[in-house]
Amino acid sequence: MAEQPNLAPRAKRPTGRRAGDSGTRDAILDAARDLFAARGYDGASVRAIATAAGVDPALIRHFFGDKDGLFAATMADRTVIPARIAEHLQGDPATAGNRIVDAYLRMWEEPETRPVLMALIRSATTSEQAVGMLFDVLGGRIREQSGITDPDGERMRRVALAGTQMLGVAVARYVIKLPPIAAMTHAELVEQIGPTIQRYLDGENI
Amino acid sequence: MAEQPNLAPRAKRPTGRRAGDSGTRDAILDAARDLFAARGYDGASVRAIATAAGVDPALIRHFFGDKDGLFAATMADRTVIPARIAEHLQGDPATAGNRIVDAYLRMWEEPETRPVLMALIRSATTSEQAVGMLFDVLGGRIREQSGITDPDGERMRRVALAGTQMLGVAVARYVIKLPPIAAMTHAELVEQIGPTIQRYLDGENI
DNA sequence: GCCATAACTCTACGGGTGGGGAATTCCTCA
DNA sequence: TGAGGAATTCCCCACCCGTAGAGTTATGGC
């Protein structure tokens, strides 16, 4: 019917720089964020990310150097994350537990932050390298923003214990999608998990 | 000095069946268990497993059909795991919390079961497929062995909440190796986490 | 208007991936 | 003793991977 061959092996895109502000860099970051979230660091290939962004893979190299650079850039873009939790470590200590869980779960529900958290978990459980980056980027912030001075002290241990519970819920609810946990409402979870966090943060003997 | 060329490009191994009982199948299962543990389902390649087992990759295909079959065989080999936890759900309910955490952490310390748990977590956080297998194999057992009748009932929810905390500690301590948690002793962890489990299992409002 | 530089593409290389076919050797059972 | 099958190897295929180089087009400062 038309003149174009319908068996075109591949549609060549125009070469060279685009006119105006193309926003390509951000498109790549968005695609990377989503794919790292869906498949983890190893599972998300540079090529797949480029395709998702509608761009040649070599552009990623141009902008970010290599895959590591891209991952780092993807994470660094939204490092507000720890701040939003740490701020609740201050406020009224008596109600911190519920407030923290509430804020944390809300972050997981937001379409902007969720992929980043997902990527962090999926990557950290698989690649040692990703764990390193996680410690570098998040660790420092949590510590400074929550006013912890001694890295080996009791306060740090309390926060870490609370962290294990929050990590566990997130993995169960959002990654593994364990039925009973995934089925609970936001409010129910806060009600159940909040006291646990509270106990870790200011319980008696630790 | 010798007659053999020291630049032999690769040492060809003899083809054909070996004499006697070679135990190759088990060697493959062992190597697979360790590699799945270290790198997760996707990260552990059939070739790497074969090499670790000192065997040609095609043998894996011969014995297990494909990579999935190998993974399934690796996991199925040691499904005693859930039983060992579930049995503590019975016994004296007043002390269940500490006993469960204690038994659970001990499993993580044993060189036999640890790789399986590791492989489970590393794979489940990355591949949907692995999650399916996990539910099929473990889910049923946990439910039956802990005497849960209603899959959506309160009892199930309690066990699941406890599960999130245990999952969280394991990931933090053994996978991510979060410093404060990794540094705590077995006893300290039992003392801190035990009460949380206890509260989930028989706390007031759930 | 010119030119360095930034944005963008194509093609290619070396290597790893899971899977399958064919050949060889040994074991078991009639 | 002979036949069939199991265990084991090698080689091959088609595909995906991260990265690199070289070429093309627009932008922005002079």
Side-chain angles (χ1 to χ4, degrees), chain B residues 47-72:
Chain B
R47 289 165 140 96
I49 293 171
T51 300
V55 140
D56 189 277
L59 247 202
I60 289 183
R61 183 176 126 79
H62 174 63
F63 280 129
F64 306 99
D66 57 8
K67 195 180 180 180
D68 272 29
L70 174 59
F71 187 74

Side-chain angles (χ1 to χ4, degrees), chain B residues 15-20 45-47 58 61 66-67:
Chain B
T15 168
R17 184 169 185 160
R18 301 292 177 267
S45 77
V46 171
R47 289 165 140 96
R61 183 176 126 79
D66 57 8
K67 195 180 180 180

Side-chain angles (χ1 to χ4, degrees), chain A residues 5 15 26-27 29 62 110 124 130 160 166 175 178 199:
Chain A
T15 169
D26 284 344
L29 280 176
H62 174 62
E110 285 174 22
M166 305 219 288
V175 184
L178 187 70
R199 206 190 103 249

